[in-house]
Amino acid sequence: MSETADDPRKLRVRSGLAFVQVLRPALYALLVLSALFTFWSGGELAGRQLPRWTQVVAPTLFALFLAIFTVYRFALMRAKKYPAATGMFQIGLGALIWVLLLPSTRQRIAPIAEGADEVPALMTAPDPRVRAVAVEVAGYRADLKYVSALIDRLDDADERVRSRAHAALARMAGTDAGEDADAWRALARQRGWLR
């Protein structure tokens, strides 16, 4: 059977390619936004520390970009308008870049300055045992620079980390505001420990 313009498969491919062409501006927008958040997340912007949630924005935006890009490349490859090997390489490279953007990966490959305090980085380590020990160390050091990170650990997925963060904060404050992170934030702001 010869393929003609009336072939339903060809019409589907053409309509799929037309739809994917519409997505092209969204691809560029997602890529630019993920790049901006990659450079700004976890750092400072205009002298203010950005919130921790900004660290997951870049990988999320890049994941959306990669999903749309994958659909786009597969549509082109299926229509035989793009080399399959090149398309698969680009998709694989995109997946590798996405893994490198994940906060846990960025933390592992970030260089540690000599003499730098490693406790804040260890409090967000992937291993809950490491987080629990780091939280305990921060509590015994009783340094106010750890307060924000200790409060964040009250919402940790691991119960040991949560209880040690709670104990550390109670020891530092000399009082107990309970296990609610918002209550501790309010107390820390009241005492001038947080801005």
Side-chain angles (χ1 to χ4, degrees):
M1 178 178 154
S2 66
E3 292 189 74
T4 64
D6 297 329
D7 188 354
R9 285 178 298 170
K10 267 194 155 180
L11 290 174
R12 267 190 311 224
V13 169
R14 267 198 217 127
S15 63
L17 284 175
F19 172 71
V20 168
Q21 292 293 336
V22 173
L23 295 177
R24 201 179 264 182
L27 281 173
Y28 291 119
L30 287 170
L31 192 56
V32 168
L33 284 172
S34 68
L36 290 175
F37 273 101
T38 298
F39 293 119
W40 286 334
S41 66
E44 288 187 6
L45 182 64
R48 298 196 64 189
Q49 183 74 23
L50 289 172
R52 294 184 60 105
W53 62 263
T54 59
Q55 294 180 355
V56 297
V57 173
T60 303
L61 290 173
F62 193 81
L64 286 170
F65 162 80
L66 190 58
I68 296 169
F69 180 80
T70 302
V71 168
Y72 178 60
R73 280 295 180 248
F74 275 124
L76 287 175
M77 289 186 292
R78 187 171 180 208
K80 308 238 185 286
K81 294 185 181 270
Y82 202 80
T86 305
M88 294 304 284
F89 174 78
Q90 290 171 339
I91 292 166
L93 183 62
L96 175 65
I97 292 169
W98 177 75
V99 169
L100 293 174
L101 287 176
L102 293 173
S104 58
T105 305
R106 291 172 64 189
Q107 176 188 329
R108 273 188 244 146
I109 61 175
I112 297 172
E114 195 156 324
D117 187 4
E118 296 176 2
V119 173
L122 295 174
M123 279 198 269
T124 58
D127 189 339
R129 295 171 299 177
V130 174
R131 291 195 309 271
V133 171
V135 162
E136 195 167 353
V137 168
Y140 282 110
R141 287 188 180 175
D143 193 330
L144 295 181
K145 69 182 179 184
Y146 299 128
V147 170
S148 178
L150 285 169
I151 292 172
D152 289 342
R153 292 300 98 211
L154 290 173
D155 293 326
D156 197 274
D158 188 79
E159 195 278 324
R160 290 173 299 176
V161 177
R162 290 192 306 270
S163 70
R164 289 184 186 179
H166 176 246
L169 286 165
R171 187 170 37 257
M172 289 171 73
T175 187
D176 191 352
E179 296 179 5
D180 182 43
D182 291 331
W184 279 103
R185 280 190 193 91
L187 178 67
R189 283 192 191 95
Q190 180 184 13
R191 293 193 177 184
W193 296 350
L194 294 177
R195 292 179 194 173

